[in-house]
Amino acid sequence: MRPGHRGGAVSVSVGYRLAPEHPFPAAVDDALAVVGAVLAGDTGLRIDTGRVAVAGDSAGANLAAVVAQQ
């Protein structure tokens, strides 16, 4: 295995739109769209869609919590 792939996990980073140029709910919409694409298998990545986690820190943690609740 290559370094960084020992856990067998795929990491996807969401480059969500930021305020004030893109007001609420732009960031939430972006995060939901990416996770929706991952769960639908529309990313072209080899992801077990039955084993998906969301995480983040700071504002990303808030987005992860919203996505998880949806």
Side-chain angles (χ1 to χ4, degrees):
M1 274 186 240
R2 298 186 321 244
H5 293 96
R6 295 176 191 206
V10 175
S11 177
V12 178
S13 177
V14 178
Y16 55 87
R17 293 172 287 171
L18 301 173
E21 293 84 5
H22 304 281
F24 179 84
V28 174
D29 292 342
D30 294 346
L32 287 170
V34 170
V35 173
V38 167
L39 293 175
D42 294 338
T43 63
L45 302 171
R46 299 171 85 188
I47 296 175
D48 179 354
T49 58
R51 298 177 53 182
V52 173
V54 294
D57 66 337
S58 192
N62 184 55
L63 290 173
V66 170
V67 167
Q69 290 177 344
Q70 295 298 313

